[in-house]
Amino acid sequence: MKKKIKEITSVFSQDNPKIKKQIDKVKEKGHQRMTILVIPHGYDSSFHFQISHFTILFFLALTVGLLSLAIFGIFRSSNTQTQINQLSKIYGTYFDTYITHASQLEEMKEEYSKLNENMLELFTLIDGSDDELLKIPTEDWIETSAVESLQKEEKEDKQLDVGRKYLNEIYDLRQLKHRMDNYQRLVEANYQFLYQRSDILSRSPLFNPMYSYNLTSPFGMRKSPTTGYWEYHDGLDMANATGTPIYASAPGRVVRVTYSNVGYGHHVIIQHDFGFSTLYGHCSRIYVRTGQEIKAGEQIAEVGATGNVTGPHLHYEIFISEEGKTDPEQYMQAGVY
């Protein structure tokens, strides 16, 4: 291998007579000169100069190089301008989006401030203690905490130039996030209270046992329609035609389905949560049985005139285990339907 390389080198070496002869011919032709005669128009005198072939080739190569460089520069300039136009268009789109999001952020901050005020007011209305409020950090603390966390991230952000900062909107958004995180306990306290109250209301006898009726006798003292004597009426008499549907005023369990000749006639007693019980008397038909679980608004019977009555109506009672019988109208007017 080394021998072949040596042979090739010796062939193309300047010491080779043939190669040396060819080089001498090129040099000789290159140093040959051409005489250029210049005769200006309208002048009798003329002048001339000589230039070698090498010089001519040099100027030709220089001209071609300059032309190529100019063409390349024009092409690159056109391409760069196109990219600049594209970037300008993209920047305009992103800038418009940025303006829109910045405006939305301001609206979000205002809406959250109103919501926060409402939550605080609601918290005081549900007997929230001052100790709970003291657990919520101040606005200054929240702002300082948000700024410190962002400044720490800026130092660790390798894509951010030294001395550069995030946009102001990022600081505002981080402060809003901190504020929402720290007020989460207040939201949970309000939610827990409202959830418990909603659960209590949904299981209390607040629904009307009939869609329409005439109140013929209220709760309390009245003159008996059958004897004419004053007596204590422990429920409501709700008059309507025989066969009018009667509905359960709350979910519960049927504890009694019975009949009484001198009292309520065919009647149903349902036991509810939180110590409530309801009685539905003077029914013509009953659709439930003892021990049956009932949903709120489920039909349990029909209006009738059984027992000690002067006409078809529903005798409706609400009683509480510890307080006894209470006025049903107060519960029916609670506004829950």
Side-chain angles (χ1 to χ4, degrees), residues 247-267:
Y247 305 98
S249 58
R253 184 173 60 87
V254 178
V255 295
R256 183 182 298 177
V257 177
T258 187
Y259 177 80
S260 173
N261 286 325
V262 296
Y264 300 130
H266 289 292
H267 61 281

Side-chain angles (χ1 to χ4, degrees), residues 119-129 186-194 197:
M119 293 296 293
L120 289 172
E121 183 178 358
L122 177 62
F123 188 74
T124 57
L125 292 176
I126 63 175
D127 299 328
S129 63
L186 177 62
V187 175
E188 291 175 353
N190 287 335
Y191 171 79
Q192 188 65 25
F193 171 83
L194 295 175
R197 294 302 183 273

Side-chain angles (χ1 to χ4, degrees), residues 25-87:
K25 285 183 178 181
V26 171
K27 286 181 178 181
E28 182 180 353
K29 289 183 178 181
H31 287 296
Q32 289 179 356
R33 295 177 177 274
M34 295 179 61
T35 300
I36 298 176
L37 180 63
V38 179
I39 303 175
H41 181 71
Y43 291 88
D44 295 335
S45 61
S46 63
F47 64 91
H48 65 276
F49 60 92
Q50 294 183 348
I51 186 171
S52 66
H53 290 171
F54 280 149
T55 304
I56 294 173
L57 290 174
F58 170 76
F59 280 112
L60 285 175
L62 181 61
T63 303
V64 172
L66 291 175
L67 287 174
S68 301
L69 185 61
I71 294 171
F72 177 75
I74 293 171
F75 174 77
R76 286 297 301 271
S77 176
S78 176
N79 188 35
T80 303
Q81 186 61 43
T82 302
Q83 293 179 351
I84 290 174
N85 293 335
Q86 292 176 350
L87 291 174

Side-chain angles (χ1 to χ4, degrees), residues 7 15 30 76 97 100 113 125 130 148 181 241 245 292 299 301 335:
E7 290 177 356
D15 295 334
R76 286 297 301 271
T97 305
T100 302
S113 296
L125 292 176
D130 292 338
E148 288 178 352
D181 290 342
Q292 182 177 344
Q299 183 177 356

Side-chain angles (χ1 to χ4, degrees), residues 1-9:
M1 185 67 180
K2 291 183 179 180
K3 185 177 181 181
K4 288 183 178 181
I5 294 174
K6 189 174 182 181
E7 290 177 356
I8 293 172
T9 304

Side-chain angles (χ1 to χ4, degrees), residues 38-289:
V38 179
I39 303 175
H41 181 71
Y43 291 88
D44 295 335
S45 61
S46 63
F47 64 91
H48 65 276
F49 60 92
Q50 294 183 348
I51 186 171
S52 66
H53 290 171
F54 280 149
T55 304
I56 294 173
L57 290 174
F58 170 76
F59 280 112
L60 285 175
L62 181 61
T63 303
V64 172
L66 291 175
L67 287 174
S68 301
L69 185 61
I71 294 171
F72 177 75
I74 293 171
F75 174 77
R76 286 297 301 271
S77 176
S78 176
N79 188 35
T80 303
Q81 186 61 43
T82 302
Q83 293 179 351
I84 290 174
N85 293 335
Q86 292 176 350
L87 291 174
S88 297
K89 185 177 180 180
I90 295 173
Y91 171 78
T93 302
Y94 279 117
F95 186 76
D96 292 341
T97 305
Y98 162 75
I99 294 298
T100 302
H101 289 174
S103 177
Q104 292 175 348
L105 177 60
E106 290 299 324
E107 294 176 0
M108 189 189 309
K109 289 167 61 179
E110 293 179 2
E111 291 295 329
Y112 181 76
S113 296
K114 294 178 183 178
L115 175 63
N116 184 45
E117 292 176 1
N118 294 335
M119 293 296 293
L120 289 172
E121 183 178 358
L122 177 62
F123 188 74
T124 57
L125 292 176
I126 63 175
D127 299 328
S129 63
D130 292 338
D131 292 340
E132 292 294 327
L133 287 175
L134 291 175
K135 293 180 181 179
I136 300 175
T138 63
E139 291 294 323
D140 292 339
W141 186 91
I142 293 174
E143 182 177 353
T144 302
S145 177
V147 171
E148 288 178 352
S149 65
L150 272 176
Q151 288 177 346
K152 182 179 179 181
E153 291 179 14
E154 287 173 349
K155 293 180 180 179
E156 298 174 354
D157 192 347
K158 296 181 179 179
Q159 296 182 351
L160 196 66
D161 294 337
V162 178
R164 299 295 298 274
K165 296 177 61 177
Y166 293 146
L167 295 173
N168 292 332
E169 285 72 17
I170 296 180
Y171 279 81
D172 292 340
L173 186 61
R174 182 60 61 86
Q175 291 176 20
L176 181 61
K177 181 180 182 301
H178 273 59
R179 189 176 295 109
M180 296 175 70
D181 290 342
N182 284 282
Y183 274 82
Q184 184 66 29
R185 288 189 295 271
L186 177 62
V187 175
E188 291 175 353
N190 287 335
Y191 171 79
Q192 188 65 25
F193 171 83
L194 295 175
Y195 178 81
Q196 291 177 353
R197 294 302 183 273
S198 175
D199 183 58
I200 292 172
L201 292 176
S202 65
R203 291 189 285 166
S204 300
L206 301 177
F207 296 89
N208 287 354
M210 290 197 300
Y211 291 143
S212 62
Y213 57 89
N214 290 322
L215 184 61
T216 56
S217 185
F219 178 84
M221 294 301 297
R222 70 165 186 176
K223 187 176 286 189
S224 173
T226 57
T227 65
Y229 295 106
W230 284 95
E231 66 177 1
Y232 186 80
H233 189 231
D234 48 14
L236 297 179
D237 285 346
M238 307 167 67
N240 209 324
T242 300
T244 301
I246 300 173
Y247 305 98
S249 58
R253 184 173 60 87
V254 178
V255 295
R256 183 182 298 177
V257 177
T258 187
Y259 177 80
S260 173
N261 286 325
V262 296
Y264 300 130
H266 289 292
H267 61 281
V268 179
I269 297 178
I270 301 177
Q271 189 177 61
H272 311 284
D273 292 333
F274 314 115
F276 288 104
S277 295
T278 53
L279 181 146
Y280 310 81
H282 308 306
C283 304
S284 61
R285 296 184 64 182
I286 296 176
Y287 297 102
V288 295
R289 63 184 184 277

